Amino acid sequence: MAVASGIDVAQCSKGSAWGDFDDDGDLDLFVSIMNRPSRLYRNEGNGQFKDVAPELGVTGPDRSFACWFWDLRQRRQARPLRPRTTRSLLPRPPRRRSSCRFRSRGRPRLYRNLGKDGFKDVTSDVGLDRATSPMGCNFGDVDNDGYLDFYLGTGGMSFEYLVPNLMFRNIGGKSFEDVTMATRTGHLQKGHGISFADYDDDGHLDLFVEAGGAVPGDDAFNLLFKNPGNKAHWLKVKLVGTKTNRSALGAKIKATIAGPDGASRTIYRTIGNNGSFGGNSLVEHPRPGRREGSRRAGDHLAGRRDEADHEERGRRPVNRDH
């Protein structure tokens, strides 16, 4: 069925991610391939897919591993022809072998979606042009500021290969800061599956890491990092599908947040949107990002899934589930 639909990957694929990069309502597929150019299969809407990676400029890096779609700057519009969309692809480089010598080609790529103009490599612009060597990865808003941060579970196949896992904080959608030491999440055992979820229901995303290597003696206990939180308000949303899948996978949330100064900002989330080698909770957290101040967040909260549109208007109290 894959070959018949145009998805013919005979090489060693290492990661994959689904996302509607052109906002036409059909999920597209990105595939990272070891030692080969990555592929971006555009969903033609008729059961067929077309590889558009070369023409859109998203074939790197040459040894990619885990990958994902996300909205880096929280400015995504409903259609790509409107002012700049920012749903981006972030293929991660693979683990290295026995030594810890990193080569320049083993660096990630962050591609910004420019709508009809394709993608632009902004890796250096946002401070991510560095060797990271992950196997597992995922993203979530760990500091409740409304912008998505990410965590990398690092390592390699060889027994002696140990490098700290890495946590990066999103600085207003403009750059990233390495906060591994500050968050005390730089565990050394190899990281595989990564998941963000609010396990203790306090409004702050916690972090679960499946750890351990592939050879005997390289096993490790899994890790659960509790987020101590801060004074920022939070908002949790769980959608239930009525006409489509019950888990509302693929549904898009748009939350308009009213700030204490009267200004508003918009936060976008997609249900079930994860990094490969990871899986997040289906409860989304479009956080207001304010600290002490207004106790209500949002003039408008909407969820959309093609034929199963759902919209709620009116102000929603913060610091509770919806």
Side-chain angles (χ1 to χ4, degrees), residues 70 72 110 126 128 148 150 168-170 175-178:
W70 67 348
L72 169 65
L110 175 60
V126 299
L128 291 177
L148 293 170
F150 69 92
F168 289 89
R169 177 173 178 257
N170 188 334
S175 63
F176 286 91
E177 176 186 11
D178 185 342

Side-chain angles (χ1 to χ4, degrees), residues 110-122:
L110 175 60
Y111 296 107
R112 177 166 294 156
N113 191 336
L114 302 178
K116 65 178 181 179
D117 296 323
F119 289 84
K120 177 184 178 182
D121 185 349
V122 295

Side-chain angles (χ1 to χ4, degrees), residues 231-246:
K231 294 182 180 180
H233 296 317
W234 53 270
L235 185 71
K236 294 199 292 185
V237 179
K238 182 177 181 179
L239 299 182
V240 178
T242 56
K243 297 181 181 179
T244 58
N245 65 87
R246 185 168 178 80

Side-chain angles (χ1 to χ4, degrees), residues 37-48:
S38 298
R39 299 186 182 184
L40 175 59
Y41 290 99
R42 184 177 61 204
N43 191 332
E44 301 292 279
N46 57 0
Q48 294 296 304

Side-chain angles (χ1 to χ4, degrees), residues 70 92 108 126-128 130-132 138 140 142 148-152 165-171 175-180 183 185 196:
W70 67 348
R92 309 302 303 180
V126 299
L128 291 177
R130 52 175 287 187
T132 51
N138 224 321
V142 299
L148 293 170
D149 316 294
F150 69 92
Y151 186 80
L152 303 178
N165 295 342
L166 296 169
M167 174 79 81
F168 289 89
R169 177 173 178 257
N170 188 334
I171 310 299
S175 63
F176 286 91
E177 176 186 11
D178 185 342
V179 293
T180 306
T183 57
T185 54
F196 285 101

Side-chain angles (χ1 to χ4, degrees), residues 119-320:
F119 289 84
K120 177 184 178 182
D121 185 349
V122 295
T123 312
S124 296
D125 298 342
V126 299
L128 291 177
D129 189 18
R130 52 175 287 187
T132 51
S133 193
M135 294 188 291
C137 63
N138 224 321
F139 54 87
D141 181 9
V142 299
D143 55 356
N144 285 11
D145 67 350
Y147 294 97
L148 293 170
D149 316 294
F150 69 92
Y151 186 80
L152 303 178
T154 62
M157 291 294 292
S158 62
F159 182 81
E160 72 273 19
Y161 192 101
L162 288 177
V163 291
N165 295 342
L166 296 169
M167 174 79 81
F168 289 89
R169 177 173 178 257
N170 188 334
I171 310 299
K174 298 178 181 179
S175 63
F176 286 91
E177 176 186 11
D178 185 342
V179 293
T180 306
M181 296 299 291
T183 57
R184 296 185 291 183
T185 54
H187 199 77
L188 274 178
Q189 268 74 29
K190 292 160 186 164
H192 283 88
I194 308 296
S195 178
F196 285 101
D198 183 12
Y199 86 92
D200 52 358
D201 201 29
D202 65 353
H204 307 286
L205 282 180
D206 308 295
L207 172 65
F208 180 78
V209 181
E210 182 186 17
V215 300
D218 201 14
D219 55 348
F221 291 106
N222 294 333
L223 310 167
L224 177 61
F225 293 97
K226 175 179 169 57
N227 189 340
N230 52 31
K231 294 182 180 180
H233 296 317
W234 53 270
L235 185 71
K236 294 199 292 185
V237 179
K238 182 177 181 179
L239 299 182
V240 178
T242 56
K243 297 181 181 179
T244 58
N245 65 87
R246 185 168 178 80
S247 297
L249 295 174
K252 301 174 182 179
I253 296 174
K254 173 184 176 183
T256 302
I257 307 299
D261 59 354
S264 64
R265 58 176 292 205
T266 301
I267 299 174
Y268 300 94
R269 294 288 187 269
T270 301
I271 302 297
N273 188 26
N274 300 290
S276 58
F277 289 80
N280 286 339
S281 168
L282 296 179
V283 178
E284 277 296 336
H285 296 67
R287 292 167 168 79
R290 301 188 312 280
R291 295 178 181 268
E292 297 300 332
S294 173
R295 301 295 299 180
R296 305 188 71 81
D299 305 309
H300 181 224
L301 178 65
R304 178 172 64 84
R305 171 65 176 172
D306 299 333
E307 69 273 20
D309 287 0
H310 174 69
E311 187 169 291
E312 296 181 11
R313 292 183 180 272
R315 300 179 69 80
R316 295 288 177 268
V318 297
N319 303 338
R320 67 179 61 183

